[in-house]
Amino acid sequence: MLSENLEKVRKTVENACHVSGRDPGEVLVLAVSKMKPAEDIQALYDVGQRDFGENYVQEMQKKHEALPQDIRWHMIGHLQKNKVKYIAPYVTMIHSVDSGDLAAMIEKEAAKCGRTIDVLIEVNVAGEDTKYGTDPAGAAELAAYIRTLPHVKLRGLMTSAPYVADPEENRPVFRELRQLMIDLNRENDNNDSMDILSMGMSNDFAVAVEEGSTCVRVGTLIFGERDYGNKQQSV
Ligand SMILES: *Cc1c(COP(=O)(O)O)cnc(C)c1O
């Protein structure tokens, strides 16, 4: 049962908060529904889940149209500039901003819609070639630029840690992202501090919460394995 899976994830978050002296209310469980059918999302919606993460614009678009309008959609996948316009009217947060060009496009489309869009900077902490994201040094420059954009609000940082057998191996990655946010907040003299750390996936979210995550992005543990085999991934 999907709702039971979600409940288990919540319990794990609560335990991780307990051991690290944190308030579970600070941690959002984002249900990553990519490649899963609308019925699965509806089932979780029916037990109160409202925040869902998607990777592909077309897929998010279809689900947004088919499902209740008060769902909060989070774009967590790599986003092409020319697709920003499709999600700008409704997206709750874009977790994957990794260039000034993309931020500028979000500004343009958000302004057209008369709204401000919350964003996170995606940081490739571990420096993996296969991952998107700016390096930690580039994050400072990007943060300064985003802060000049009136319709884009910088809320925090996001990372996808490497896939590892033992989640403990990712603890330094999470720690580094948290420290980076602290450092960037210190450098910024305005009062609009970043407050969101989007880190932790199915295999390592407990460790991420212990290290300060405020948003865990959990797919497989809630929805089951994704079948990449018989479906062409449309971006
Ligand atoms: C797919 C995905 C997730 C969820 O991964 P699981 O291992 O299934 O929990 C989280 N974050 C991003 C960026 C993803 O693409």
Side-chain angles (χ1 to χ4, degrees):
M1 281 281 291
L2 297 186
S3 59
E4 286 163 16
N5 296 344
L6 178 62
E7 200 45 44
K8 272 188 214 151
V9 169
R10 284 195 199 294
K11 280 272 174 301
T12 306
V13 167
E14 275 170 33
N15 288 340
C17 284
H18 186 70
V19 300
S20 52
R22 300 186 59 206
D23 171 5
E26 293 174 357
V27 185
L28 174 71
V29 175
L30 183 59
V32 176
S33 45
K34 62 168 176 245
M35 308 186 69
K36 294 295 175 179
E39 303 87 80
D40 287 3
I41 298 173
Q42 184 69 52
L44 291 178
Y45 179 91
D46 291 343
V47 296
Q49 178 71 20
R50 290 293 179 271
D51 291 271
F52 292 90
E54 290 283 340
N55 289 57
Y56 313 110
V57 167
Q58 274 176 19
E59 187 177 346
M60 181 189 271
Q61 190 69 7
K62 276 196 199 132
K63 288 172 174 173
H64 164 67
E65 283 162 16
L67 286 157
Q69 292 302 298
D70 61 337
I71 287 181
R72 292 186 288 266
W73 295 103
H74 297 246
M75 173 48 68
I76 64 172
H78 183 65
L79 180 58
Q80 289 172 346
K81 276 182 296 176
N82 62 352
K83 304 227 164 133
V84 173
K85 58 177 178 280
Y86 300 113
I87 61 169
Y90 64 88
V91 70
T92 290
M93 188 179 293
I94 299 174
H95 292 228
S96 45
V97 176
D98 60 358
S99 76
D101 284 353
L102 177 58
M105 185 57 87
I106 296 169
E107 166 62 28
K108 186 176 151 200
E109 296 300 332
K112 269 194 211 162
C113 300
R115 61 191 300 251
T116 299
I117 297 180
D118 285 349
V119 304
L120 308 178
I121 293 176
E122 179 171 1
V123 185
N124 184 356
V125 177
E128 288 178 288
D129 290 345
T130 52
K131 293 257 161 76
Y132 292 107
T134 166
D135 58 9
E141 198 182 338
L142 188 50
Y145 173 62
I146 293 174
R147 286 202 174 94
T148 69
L149 304 173
H151 300 89
V152 184
K153 174 134 182 68
L154 181 59
R155 294 295 309 274
L157 304 178
M158 179 272 230
T159 199
S160 294
Y163 187 80
V164 288
D166 178 2
E168 280 298 327
E169 289 177 45
N170 281 337
R171 192 178 290 276
V173 172
F174 299 137
R175 210 169 267 181
E176 190 176 333
L177 193 73
R178 177 163 180 271
Q179 189 58 49
L180 182 62
M181 189 162 87
I182 292 169
D183 293 345
L184 292 179
N185 277 338
R186 199 176 288 134
E187 284 166 24
N188 174 34
D189 7 299
N190 309 337
N191 286 328
D192 55 342
S193 290
M194 294 187 272
D195 59 355
I196 296 178
L197 278 175
S198 170
M199 58 188 195
M201 308 181 9
S202 286
N203 63 320
D204 57 15
F205 71 98
V207 174
V209 169
E210 287 172 23
E211 294 301 329
S213 174
T214 69
C215 175
V216 294
R217 307 182 309 269
V218 181
T220 307
L221 272 189
I222 297 174
F223 294 99
E225 297 286 341
R226 289 175 292 272
D227 183 3
Y228 289 101
N230 59 18
K231 186 181 170 189
Q232 189 64 34
Q233 275 185 50
S234 59
V235 176

